Amino acid sequence: MRALVIGEALIDIVERDGQPVREHVGGSPLNVAVGLARLGRDVDFLTHIGTDERGRRIADYVESSGAQLVSDSMTASRTATARALLDASGSATYSFDIDWQLSGTPEVAPPLIVHTGSIAAVLEPGCLATEALVSAYHLSATVTFDPNIRTALIDDPDTARARIDHLLERADVVKASSEDLHWLDPTRTPEQIAGEWLTLAPKIVVVTFGGEGSLAMCANGTVRVPAGHVDVVDTVGAGDAFMTGLIDALWSMDLLGADRRGALADISTDALTGAVRAATVVSALTVARPGADLPDRVTVDRAAVSDILG
């Protein structure tokens, strides 16, 4: 009954006009690992960080959340950074300094769910190991995937698209932003791309549209959920928080694990709506405070869903 999250961990260096520079622990997969742990889930996190001051800060952050840092995760020569430049609306533009590598099979209990995405899915050489691990765990675990494309790190778009396609072939649940889908194929609408993905391996495909809400597709139909009504401080980690809430909701519905693939594939539109609403609440609570500071279970349970979603 554990989750295994595979992917990058880094320090977000956040800059905004007229405000002091701030540093936050970040990285899309790290945010999901920490977010799930804060919601009371058992999580192992496999990453690649250094033993420098920033690496130790990340390790402390992960473990203080309740997640377990997988052994051999602290082997990098330096810890990665992402410089996030925020505009007036709180939206972030990123630049990166990262070396992504993995080696060997993590010494963890067989996971119920494996999550990956973002830089870990496309950046060599670690993306090759990420894909191999996902393929191996797919036999026994639900696979969730968020492309979370970082164009600043992509030199060869065709190769990146092919790597994303390979992971889609093994994924059970996929969440992508409309911006991700436009980058992948600007000639088609997000709905068209999501519909095609649903004919492949995924049982659920969710597309987020920022302030315009989200749509989710399953075999039984398509649902739409509005965005949360909160005062946005910044959008750092918004998509990761959404992914966290979605995984947590499906976990609570007993729809995770390879032996539950049939039930996941047959999820009703009512149940899917409930899962997406739960994901939206977690995301809304995150963007209402600075940095990718995902909420814990107490905060989520106390949130007035009617106030957030109307």
Side-chain angles (χ1 to χ4, degrees):
M1 296 296 292
R2 298 183 68 85
L4 172 62
V5 179
I6 304 169
E8 70 274 4
L10 44 78
I11 296 294
D12 283 324
I13 303 171
V14 182
E15 299 180 6
R16 193 170 194 169
D17 286 345
Q19 297 184 14
V21 175
R22 295 175 285 126
E23 290 196 3
H24 303 284
V25 173
S28 177
L30 174 141
N31 290 335
V32 174
V34 166
L36 287 172
R38 288 182 177 177
L39 294 177
R41 303 301 184 180
D42 293 326
V43 182
D44 295 305
F45 179 47
L46 176 63
T47 190
H48 184 59
I49 57 178
T51 57
D52 51 19
E53 180 180 351
R54 283 172 168 163
R56 292 192 299 272
R57 179 180 175 186
I58 289 171
D60 291 344
Y61 182 82
V62 169
E63 293 176 358
S64 68
S65 75
Q68 180 67 46
L69 191 66
V70 176
S71 60
D72 297 329
S73 286
M74 300 183 73
T75 58
S77 59
R78 69 185 186 283
T79 297
T81 60
R83 191 169 297 274
L85 180 61
L86 302 182
D87 62 19
S89 69
S91 295
T93 302
Y94 292 92
S95 58
F96 296 89
D97 176 16
I98 183 170
D99 173 34
W100 172 240
Q101 299 189 43
L102 289 176
S103 61
T105 301
E107 297 181 3
V108 297
L112 179 74
I113 177 173
V114 174
H115 173 76
T116 194
S118 196
I119 295 169
V122 297
L123 186 63
E124 292 185 355
C127 66
L128 304 177
T130 299
E131 182 182 336
L133 288 172
V134 168
S135 297
Y137 284 119
H138 179 261
L139 298 175
S140 59
T142 296
V143 174
T144 61
F145 176 48
D146 178 4
N148 197 18
I149 296 165
R150 303 304 192 189
T151 56
L153 287 170
I154 296 175
D155 296 324
D156 186 340
D158 289 338
T159 298
R161 291 186 181 98
R163 287 172 178 154
I164 290 169
D165 286 345
H166 291 160
L167 287 170
L168 284 171
E169 292 169 359
R170 294 158 179 81
D172 299 295
V173 179
V174 180
K175 191 282 295 182
S177 69
S178 57
E179 291 88 350
D180 290 338
L181 299 188
H182 179 76
W183 183 86
L184 287 168
D185 187 350
T187 68
R188 293 188 294 165
T189 66
E191 292 85 349
Q192 289 172 328
I193 298 173
E196 179 189 346
W197 284 3
L198 197 65
T199 67
L200 305 175
K203 312 301 184 291
I204 295 173
V205 178
V206 182
V207 182
T208 57
F209 294 87
E212 297 178 9
S214 59
L215 70 82
M217 295 183 176
C218 65
N220 287 314
T222 299
V223 303
R224 293 180 182 270
V225 172
H229 303 295
V230 294
D231 293 328
V232 176
V233 175
D234 69 50
T235 61
V236 178
D240 307 326
F242 188 102
M243 186 83 250
T244 297
L246 181 63
I247 292 170
D248 178 67
L250 296 174
W251 204 326
S252 295
M253 294 175 184
D254 190 27
L255 292 176
L256 301 184
D259 61 341
R260 300 294 290 158
R261 275 204 177 97
L264 182 67
D266 196 37
I267 188 172
S268 68
T269 53
D270 284 346
L272 183 58
T273 299
V276 176
R277 283 174 63 87
T280 302
V281 168
V282 177
S283 183
L285 291 171
T286 301
V287 301
R289 48 193 183 185
D293 185 13
L294 278 69
D296 59 17
R297 178 66 70 189
V298 172
T299 303
V300 171
D301 289 346
R302 287 178 178 172
V305 176
S306 59
D307 290 342
I308 293 175
L309 295 181

